[in-house]
Amino acid sequence: MTAALEIRGLHAWYGESHILHGIDLTVQPGEVVTLLGRNGAGRTTTLRAIMGLTGRRSGSVRVDGVEAITLPTHRIAHLGIGYCPEERGIFASLSAEENLMLPPTLKGNGGAGMTVDEIYAMFPNLYERRHSQGTRLSGGEQQMLAVARILRTGARLLLLDEISEGLAPVIVQTLARMITTLKAKGYTIVMVEQNFRFAAPLADRFYVVEHGQVVETIAAAELDARMPVLTELLGV
Ligand SMILES: Nc1ncnc2c1ncn2[C@@H]1O[C@H](COP(=O)(O)OP(=O)(O)OP(=O)(O)O)[C@@H](O)[C@H]1O
Ligand SMILES: [Mg+2]
């Protein structure tokens, strides 16, 4: 089986700062994996480096077997990746629906994205809020919109950076149900999470990032047994 995402020896720099020091990770189609780590470990940079959004980078990033390390960001997105950055990127002056329709759909990616009707069926509150301005949406609504927007493009590999951050527990539960639904629909998901309790029941595998390297890989089935190691690494 060809991995949905295979990263080998990924290095990345911001200017002169060498941030990633050889990240290795593999995600099979339909898997959910979570990148854990302390603040500044390099998790966001890993997602940005996959998308070609850092400065210099080297190593190998294969998406469905296609080498992406030398491709520009828009070509990488067209391999079927949807990146949801931590800052969500909702345009304040546009309505929820205009925000939803903003990114172009990815062509030649084998399958179409979700239709607007399918998205509204999955996120009923976005349907109710479709005419509201971006800034009038709650944090949770903005987060759902940021994910919904990439589902419409036809991306099958989702890179989600701290989607639960700063949201009320009831919204975090809604996001957990969303991840479960997306997994059931066959999406492949790489999540960066600080909220371990959110990620724990969702992920097939956990990668602990430290100083720009993967220092520990833990399968969901080993989680209980490896909890002491994880606690030590994350300092929680
Ligand atoms: N644009 C940038 N220019 C220079 N250095 C950066 C830039 N963005 C991040 N860094 C540095 O890269 C390192 C890794 O940051 P990164 O954002 O990947 O961490 P993280 O694991 O996502 O943690 P957190 O989100 O909790 O900050 C940090 O030392 C950070 O200061
Ligand atoms: Mg981060």
Side-chain angles (χ1 to χ4, degrees):
M1 184 162 55
T2 307
L5 179 67
E6 180 153 31
I7 299 178
R8 289 287 168 266
L10 179 61
H11 289 249
W13 290 258
Y14 285 119
E16 293 296 299
S17 305
H18 189 173
I19 307 292
L20 299 186
H21 298 266
I23 294 275
D24 292 313
L25 62 90
T26 305
V27 190
Q28 299 299 342
E31 281 191 321
V32 175
V33 308
T34 299
L35 308 187
L36 301 170
R38 299 181 195 233
N39 291 337
R43 297 161 303 157
T44 295
T45 306
T46 301
L47 300 188
R48 289 179 53 83
I50 293 168
M51 295 309 293
L53 290 166
T54 57
R56 190 152 64 94
R57 60 189 188 136
S58 69
S60 175
V61 174
R62 286 181 178 272
V63 181
D64 290 331
V66 177
E67 182 56 70
I69 195 76
T70 58
L71 299 179
T73 299
H74 69 279
R75 298 267 312 274
I76 296 170
H78 273 80
L79 297 175
I81 310 186
Y83 171 48
C84 188
E86 202 171 355
E87 51 294 353
R88 297 176 189 146
I90 300 303
F91 290 91
S93 59
L94 300 181
S95 71
E97 188 156 279
E98 286 166 338
N99 268 285
L100 182 64
M101 302 307 281
L102 205 59
T105 53
L106 306 173
K107 302 236 163 52
N109 184 35
M114 277 193 203
T115 64
V116 173
D117 286 348
E118 285 170 330
I119 285 171
Y120 284 147
M122 189 169 169
F123 303 97
N125 52 335
L126 286 186
Y127 175 74
E128 278 165 31
R129 303 286 271 140
R130 67 193 181 283
H131 300 306
S132 301
Q133 223 183 314
T135 36
R136 306 290 289 274
L137 303 175
S138 69
E141 288 165 342
Q142 289 192 25
Q143 188 61 70
M144 285 174 212
L145 179 55
V147 177
R149 190 161 64 176
I150 59 179
L151 298 176
R152 200 188 69 86
T153 67
R156 298 296 295 171
L157 168 58
L158 312 179
L159 310 180
L160 309 178
D161 200 345
E162 305 226 28
I163 57 169
S164 72
E165 191 184 19
L167 300 178
V170 61
I171 308 294
V172 174
Q173 280 173 22
T174 306
L175 291 174
R177 283 196 297 274
M178 174 191 79
I179 298 291
T180 304
T181 302
L182 293 174
K183 183 173 164 63
K185 287 179 184 289
Y187 285 88
T188 307
I189 301 175
V190 179
M191 306 193 292
V192 168
E193 267 305 325
Q194 201 72 347
N195 184 344
F196 180 71
R197 288 179 59 187
F198 167 67
L202 300 173
D204 295 303
R205 203 162 45 262
F206 302 84
Y207 289 100
V208 182
V209 178
E210 199 172 273
H211 303 303
Q213 287 183 314
V214 172
V215 294
E216 199 67 58
T217 305
I218 300 177
E222 314 168 313
L223 194 56
D224 287 344
R226 306 287 297 281
M227 215 47 216
V229 178
L230 199 54
T231 308
E232 163 112 22
L233 283 169
L234 300 178
V236 290

